[in-house]
Amino acid sequence: MTEILIRNADIIVTMDDDRQELVGADLLVRDGKIAQIGHGLTSLGEIHDAAGCVVTPGLVNTHHHLYQTLTRAVPGGQDALLFGWLRTLYPIWSRFGPEEMFISAQIGLAELALSGCTLSSDHLYLYPNGARLEDTIHAASELGLRFQPTRGAMSIGESDGGLPPDALVEAEQAILEDMIRVVDAYHDPSEGSMCRVGLAPCSPFSVSRDLMRDAALLARDKGVMLHTHLAENDEDIAYSEDQFGCRPGQYAEELGWTGSDVWHAHCVKLDGSEIDLFARSRTGVAHCPCSNCRLGSGIAPVRKMRDLGVHVGLGVDGSASNDSGNLIAEARQSMLLQRVANGADAMSAREALEIATRGGAKVLNRPDCGRLMPGKRADIAIWDVRGIESAGSWDPAALLLAGPTRVKHLFVEGRQVVRDGQIVTIDLPKAMETQNRLASALAE
Ligand SMILES: [Zn+2]
């Protein structure tokens, strides 16, 4: 039996069903799960003094392309809309291989961990030069983050009217076979799972109708989740109307892409009837505010989605379109963006933090994560609020309104991943050196 006691926190923000916030409280972890939360708890295990700290559930990232951490701030892609941006980056990505996939995933996940994230999904939809999904799975398991990678895919290349170059697309039969292979090898459906695999054709403009439908059938057969990009911007809507004769929501519904086992990234341009459809069918949304700003895509109707009962989580999206992977900063951005669209009372700091924690866990079908309650997994972020950015703060809402944007300690399944602001599970300086060397080689 292993115990960790987090003692005397200024505030524990539980995100439990009553949204309790406990002052001067303790939290006891036993064997990777939360055993108790209260006052005056004792333990013979490891003790962490959390005086001067706010304790929150670990944040949940519902959309990322980790491989893109090797292509941040690429000239030519910095100021383009979605389709132009993709055309600039595809040729660079086509030179990636297993080493690039591994190291970029490790850097991206470490960056997320430092910003309070304990559970991340990833959407890897290109596999050049022998790259495989397990390159990222190994990166996550070394680092110690809870991981929900998705086997993405692109199958319609330029010569067939799609957007990606032919060299980056795969044959659909090979895609389906590899989807089966990675689910059988790596998907763990159990409670507390550290790795769940999903299926994720890249977007309606890069795969066929058949592959969308077949992936949905396969996911139901295997009991895994489905993920893709949907209704990201005006170009995306125009493509759908032009090629499929319908809006993205209808396209998704016809092909089996709605339900509580499905979540779609962006959904910036969903209209009222599509939001109704998502609410009725319990289809999830990964909201990516910084990426939507960076690519000028628009403001997702998150206020309306939440009011109608759509499950919304937060995503940093790939680092070629953010270009930061800081999840607590992303939560702040989601709050600010709803206020731009709907006024100062449109989203509170607490609601944004809720979306970033239990909201994301709901989207990823993880009732065992995203809140601090006895019986839930011990995924915990501890924020030191004695720094300059917190000086003069009156309320824990300052975490989003003011900062900090980096954790002091981070635990995943009761295992410490960040200690005193430093990653302790891997040699991060060495990984960064490799990352920078590979980025330089790609730039040449
Ligand atoms: Zn994306």
Side-chain angles (χ1 to χ4, degrees):
M1 186 177 79
T2 317
E3 280 192 353
I4 299 167
L5 179 63
I6 296 162
R7 195 171 57 186
N8 200 28
D10 279 13
I11 277 202
I12 298 179
V13 180
T14 65
M15 288 294 162
D16 67 6
D17 296 343
D18 301 320
R19 306 297 187 273
Q20 286 188 84
E21 296 179 2
L22 306 171
V23 176
D26 313 323
L27 186 156
L28 180 66
V29 172
R30 186 178 298 134
D31 297 330
K33 288 162 81 167
I34 296 166
Q36 221 180 329
I37 302 177
H39 295 91
L41 305 185
T42 56
S43 169
L44 296 172
E46 194 179 307
I47 311 277
H48 289 268
D49 185 39
C53 296
V54 171
V55 177
T56 69
L59 275 53
V60 178
N61 181 42
T62 60
H63 187 62
H64 208 324
H65 311 288
L66 289 163
Y67 75 90
Q68 293 179 6
T69 58
L70 272 169
T71 49
R72 297 188 214 248
V74 171
Q78 287 178 21
D79 308 312
L81 290 175
L82 176 66
F83 284 14
W85 170 85
L86 282 169
R87 286 196 185 95
T88 302
L89 287 157
Y90 283 142
I92 302 171
W93 296 336
S94 70
R95 292 160 55 206
F96 277 46
E99 190 185 14
E100 283 80 4
M101 292 305 180
F102 176 86
I103 201 71
S104 57
Q106 201 151 66
I107 292 292
L109 289 167
E111 186 185 10
L112 282 171
L114 290 167
S115 72
C117 175
T118 50
L119 162 60
S120 183
S121 65
D122 187 44
H123 188 185
L124 182 56
Y125 52 80
L126 40 88
Y127 296 84
N129 308 307
R132 299 196 298 173
L133 189 68
E134 48 264 54
D135 300 327
T136 63
I137 293 174
H138 295 150
S141 83
E142 256 188 32
L143 184 68
L145 242 59
R146 209 180 289 285
F147 197 38
Q148 298 205 182
T150 59
R151 205 303 180 184
M154 298 195 293
S155 63
I156 306 284
E158 265 172 332
S159 61
D160 292 321
L163 202 67
D166 291 350
L168 270 185
V169 305
E170 300 173 272
E172 299 200 339
Q173 193 52 40
I175 291 167
L176 289 164
E177 281 166 15
D178 199 54
M179 285 176 166
I180 293 168
R181 181 186 72 81
V182 292
V183 168
D184 289 348
Y186 298 104
H187 179 67
D188 172 9
S190 67
E191 189 185 323
S193 168
M194 292 297 288
C195 183
R196 285 191 190 167
V197 178
L199 306 184
C202 182
S203 61
F205 56 80
S206 56
V207 303
S208 73
R209 270 183 111 85
D210 287 346
L211 187 65
M212 291 294 285
R213 187 184 292 109
D214 290 346
L217 292 171
L218 179 60
R220 269 65 196 234
D221 183 49
K222 293 281 183 189
V224 301
M225 293 190 75
L226 285 166
H227 180 49
T228 193
H229 295 98
L230 205 78
E232 181 163 351
N233 71 356
D234 289 330
E235 289 171 298
D236 197 358
I237 301 292
Y239 186 93
S240 182
E241 288 175 338
D242 188 45
Q243 297 291 314
F244 312 131
C246 64
R247 290 193 49 91
Q250 191 187 343
Y251 186 71
E253 188 180 29
E254 278 174 18
L255 296 173
W257 277 77
T258 50
S260 60
D261 56 351
V262 183
W263 85 107
H264 294 285
H266 302 302
C267 299
V268 172
K269 298 291 177 180
L270 287 192
D271 68 13
S273 69
E274 290 171 309
I275 294 172
D276 276 340
L277 167 68
F278 276 39
R280 258 186 290 122
S281 58
R282 309 182 82 73
T283 306
V285 169
H287 172 47
C288 307
C290 286
S291 171
N292 297 158
C293 289
R294 160 78 150 80
L295 294 173
S297 300
I299 302 175
V302 171
R303 179 71 276 144
K304 189 165 183 194
M305 290 179 192
R306 296 257 307 164
D307 289 346
L308 291 177
V310 176
H311 299 152
V312 180
L314 200 61
V316 295
D317 202 3
S319 306
S321 69
N322 187 323
D323 304 25
S324 155
N326 187 308
L327 196 51
I328 191 80
E330 197 74 34
R332 180 174 203 262
Q333 185 74 8
S334 72
M335 169 188 76
L336 296 178
L337 208 50
Q338 288 312 301
R339 292 175 180 214
V340 171
N342 304 305
D345 60 353
M347 184 177 287
S348 69
R350 283 178 169 81
E351 183 177 8
L353 185 63
E354 178 179 318
I355 292 171
T357 53
R358 65 181 281 157
K362 181 91 188 163
V363 165
L364 296 182
N365 284 339
R366 295 302 301 246
D368 51 343
C369 301
R371 62 197 105 163
L372 301 177
M373 290 168 66
K376 303 297 179 190
R377 312 318 296 187
D379 293 0
I380 303 161
I382 303 182
W383 310 85
D384 191 336
V385 291
R386 290 169 299 191
I388 181 77
E389 66 285 317
S390 310
S393 293
W394 290 35
D395 186 88
L399 187 56
L400 271 80
L401 290 164
T405 55
R406 194 162 165 156
V407 284
K408 181 179 191 210
H409 302 310
L410 188 83
F411 295 87
V412 182
E413 191 73 0
R415 178 191 183 204
Q416 192 153 20
V417 174
V418 179
R419 185 191 304 268
D420 293 320
Q422 303 297 324
I423 298 278
V424 291
T425 46
I426 62 163
D427 184 345
L428 185 60
K430 190 166 156 240
M432 286 168 62
E433 204 181 296
T434 308
Q435 166 93 343
N436 286 325
R437 177 172 54 76
L438 293 176
S440 300
L442 287 166
E444 269 164 21

